[in-house]
Amino acid sequence: MISSTEPVICGLVISAHVASGWLRDDRVTVAEAAVRLGYDSEAAFSRAFKRFSGLPPSSVRRQDRDEGSRASRARVP
């Protein structure tokens, strides 16, 4: 039997996954991701994102940039 909260939780998990992809793209800010997903505020989005991903959205952006920087430096002769 499916409870009434399961579809809501599933939607939040999917939103967090979608937002992760957007946040790895430097052109999308945390505030813009919040608006795209229909949150009333960046803070509300950040809390929900952290609840389901374990990381704040800003760290996902930083993490991807840091990995890109390391890869760029590794290719320089």
Side-chain angles (χ1 to χ4, degrees):
M1 180 173 184
I2 297 176
S3 74
S4 62
T5 59
E6 288 179 17
V8 172
I9 291 171
C10 183
L12 292 171
V13 170
I14 290 169
S15 293
H17 180 72
V18 168
S20 291
W22 290 340
L23 294 169
R24 287 186 178 99
D25 179 358
D26 280 342
R27 294 175 299 215
V28 177
T29 65
V30 174
E32 186 177 354
V35 169
R36 286 183 181 188
L37 291 172
Y39 283 87
D40 291 332
S41 70
E42 185 177 340
F45 166 71
S46 293
R47 283 191 302 273
F49 185 91
K50 186 174 182 180
R51 187 178 320 129
F52 291 100
S53 71
L55 296 169
S58 58
S59 71
V60 172
R61 286 179 56 88
R62 270 195 307 273
Q63 181 181 31
D64 193 59
R65 269 192 235 126
D66 291 346
E67 288 173 4
S69 295
R70 282 194 293 270
S72 297
R73 286 193 301 265
R75 285 186 247 143
V76 176

